[in-house]
Amino acid sequence: MAVHSTVLCFKFVSFHPQTSGSYRFPAAASRSRVSSLVKASAFSSQVPVTLPRFKLQGKALADGNGMPEKDESPLVVCFGEMLIDFVPTTSGLSLAEAPAFKKAPGGAPANVAVGIARLGGSSAFIGKVGEDEFGYMLADILKENNVNSEGMRFDPGARTALAFVTLRKDGEREFMFYRNPSADMLLQETELDFDLIRKAKIFHYGSISLITEPCKSAHLAAAKAAKDAGVILSYDPNLRLPLWPSAESAREGILSIWETADVIKISEEEITFLTQGEDPYDDSVVRKLYHPNLKLLLVTEGSEGCRYYTKEFSGRVKGLKVDAVDTTGAGDAFVAGLLAQLAADVSLLQDESRLRDALKFANACGALTVMERGAIPALPNREAVQDALFKLAT
């Protein structure tokens, strides 16, 4: 596959973490079209109109014509990176041996935003892409999935990030990133849409946006604005070790914002990394990561399901057993499944029975995602998740 020569100046990083179906992309948007897109607050959706939605909250407000506006479901704003994954058409081969690749939109925060919208919730994405064909394509992806992109910015001097993905035979992944720097790393505090952040119910983010300036300062400013406005902060560290200068800088960076989060989702591997080798299955080890202001700590265990910890209770919820094709985006689908429900009803954090039901739903979201190739293309809608849970119960 030919790659434009401008991409070749990017630095690549090999990566070995954990987590697909065909997807047809639209033609790239024109610059004027993208400009109008970024200013828009409501988008058309390809989600079926019959898709069940979460309970809407809030009162109707009158618009300029004196007509009441429709209630909006609580908003989840996702902050960070959006990029293009190039997924091989054949699994089990190295990048050099792969005969061809498929484009697949990705980036953990963007995956979560699309996942929430697919489930019938309300979401927005804040981040930066290149003012290039891939950036325009990603803007179209958000639009088609009914994600608010008012906070999306385009950089004329940097390219949209790319990641080439190797799929092993077991569906697990290895990455090679092209970003030196990519546009997502260059988001500035002055480019943030603070009004959008403050009206969110939940503000969700990862740790990749903490690695370099100016994006790090933008991340910290956005999180502070959300916290000051009483918005729930949701944190998925999403460790990508080769993107950090060193393991120690990654550990310090991830933990530097740990105690500001209200909800944290981590994997077993991330527990081992953050505790410098301690047993991720030992509850006393996990409890070391539970800070005084935390409302919910989640530990994902792939097909085994997840564990949950609050001040009052803790437990485990089993996962769904499926044949994994590509585990890309499974953790993000899980997060989307939980946050879509939490935004609609925060009180489930105090009710263990209802929280367990929400986590069963989130586990199903993750399981369905690994059955297809790619992240965003594989994210399920609410109907598919409910159908999977119904079949499991019968």
Side-chain angles (χ1 to χ4, degrees), residues 47 51-54 56 73 115-122 340 381-382:
V47 178
L51 184 65
R53 296 189 65 84
F54 292 99
L56 302 180
S73 54
I116 290 169
R118 289 257 179 97
L119 294 169
S122 177
N381 62 32
R382 185 169 173 82

Side-chain angles (χ1 to χ4, degrees), residues 18 204-205 207 234-239 254-255 258 261 263-275 279-280 282 285-290 294 296-302 305-309 331 334-335 338:
Q18 58 190 95
H204 176 73
Y205 48 87
S207 69
S234 167
Y235 184 25
D236 177 2
N238 196 34
L239 176 64
I254 289 171
L255 293 176
W258 196 261
V263 176
I264 297 176
K265 192 281 285 187
I266 49 176
S267 68
E268 303 155 278
E269 294 85 357
E270 288 164 346
I271 294 174
T272 300
F273 175 75
L274 294 174
T275 60
D279 184 2
D282 185 337
V285 171
V286 179
R287 282 288 181 183
K288 292 179 183 179
L289 296 172
Y290 197 99
L294 192 59
L296 177 63
L297 176 63
L298 295 166
V299 180
T300 52
E301 301 178 344
C306 66
R307 282 174 279 160
Y308 59 90
Y309 300 83
F334 173 90
V335 172
L338 175 67

Side-chain angles (χ1 to χ4, degrees), residues 176-361:
M176 186 168 71
F177 288 100
Y178 285 76
R179 57 198 308 266
N180 189 35
S182 52
D184 60 290
M185 302 163 68
L186 302 177
L187 181 68
Q188 301 182 48
E189 182 178 345
T190 55
E191 297 177 298
L192 294 174
D193 187 333
F194 286 105
D195 289 338
L196 184 63
I197 293 168
R198 294 187 183 103
K199 70 180 182 183
K201 186 76 172 181
I202 299 174
F203 182 71
H204 176 73
Y205 48 87
S207 69
I208 291 176
S209 47
L210 294 171
I211 299 175
T212 58
E213 293 288 2
C215 190
K216 177 181 178 180
S217 292
H219 177 132
L220 297 176
K224 183 180 186 303
K227 193 75 170 180
D228 291 347
V231 178
I232 295 171
L233 300 190
S234 167
Y235 184 25
D236 177 2
N238 196 34
L239 176 64
R240 298 292 182 259
L241 190 55
L243 296 180
W244 292 83
S246 67
E248 187 56 35
S249 66
R251 190 176 293 109
E252 290 178 0
I254 289 171
L255 293 176
S256 69
I257 60 170
W258 196 261
E259 295 193 2
T260 63
D262 300 296
V263 176
I264 297 176
K265 192 281 285 187
I266 49 176
S267 68
E268 303 155 278
E269 294 85 357
E270 288 164 346
I271 294 174
T272 300
F273 175 75
L274 294 174
T275 60
Q276 301 190 61
E278 294 192 54
D279 184 2
Y281 301 100
D282 185 337
D283 281 354
S284 64
V285 171
V286 179
R287 282 288 181 183
K288 292 179 183 179
L289 296 172
Y290 197 99
H291 66 76
N293 298 317
L294 192 59
K295 295 179 174 64
L296 177 63
L297 176 63
L298 295 166
V299 180
T300 52
E301 301 178 344
S303 62
E304 296 301 316
C306 66
R307 282 174 279 160
Y308 59 90
Y309 300 83
T310 73
K311 289 187 178 72
E312 292 78 24
F313 48 76
S314 62
R316 179 189 299 272
V317 177
K318 292 182 179 180
L320 279 67
K321 301 292 185 180
V322 298
D323 293 327
V325 174
D326 176 12
T327 54
T328 304
D332 303 327
F334 173 90
V335 172
L338 175 67
L339 295 187
Q341 297 173 89
L342 184 59
D345 187 1
V346 177
S347 67
L348 64 81
L349 291 174
Q350 285 78 49
D351 186 325
E352 185 172 12
S353 176
R354 291 167 56 222
L355 177 60
R356 289 181 63 86
D357 287 340
L359 293 174
K360 288 177 185 176
F361 184 92

Side-chain angles (χ1 to χ4, degrees), residues 62-209:
D63 62 17
N65 297 320
M67 296 296 291
E69 297 178 351
K70 293 181 180 179
D71 287 357
E72 295 182 359
S73 54
L75 179 67
V76 179
V77 173
C78 300
F79 175 95
E81 67 278 3
M82 189 173 193
L83 48 81
I84 304 289
D85 288 329
F86 283 89
V87 184
T89 55
T90 304
S91 299
L93 298 176
S94 69
L95 288 177
E97 294 170 329
F101 297 81
K102 283 187 176 182
K103 300 190 302 291
N111 293 343
V112 173
V114 173
I116 290 169
R118 289 257 179 97
L119 294 169
S122 177
S123 65
F125 173 74
I126 292 179
K128 201 171 195 181
V129 294
E131 192 175 297
D132 52 34
E133 293 301 304
F134 284 141
Y136 302 151
M137 185 185 75
L138 292 175
D140 272 347
I141 296 297
L142 294 181
K143 176 182 177 182
E144 291 166 4
N145 284 280
N146 205 29
V147 175
N148 183 322
S149 63
E150 291 176 6
M152 192 173 189
R153 301 292 179 257
F154 295 82
D155 195 306
R159 297 297 191 188
T160 301
L162 307 179
F164 287 82
V165 186
T166 300
L167 297 179
R168 300 202 307 256
K169 291 182 179 179
D170 61 359
E172 292 299 319
R173 307 161 297 160
E174 297 175 358
F175 284 89
M176 186 168 71
F177 288 100
Y178 285 76
R179 57 198 308 266
N180 189 35
S182 52
D184 60 290
M185 302 163 68
L186 302 177
L187 181 68
Q188 301 182 48
E189 182 178 345
T190 55
E191 297 177 298
L192 294 174
D193 187 333
F194 286 105
D195 289 338
L196 184 63
I197 293 168
R198 294 187 183 103
K199 70 180 182 183
K201 186 76 172 181
I202 299 174
F203 182 71
H204 176 73
Y205 48 87
S207 69
I208 291 176
S209 47

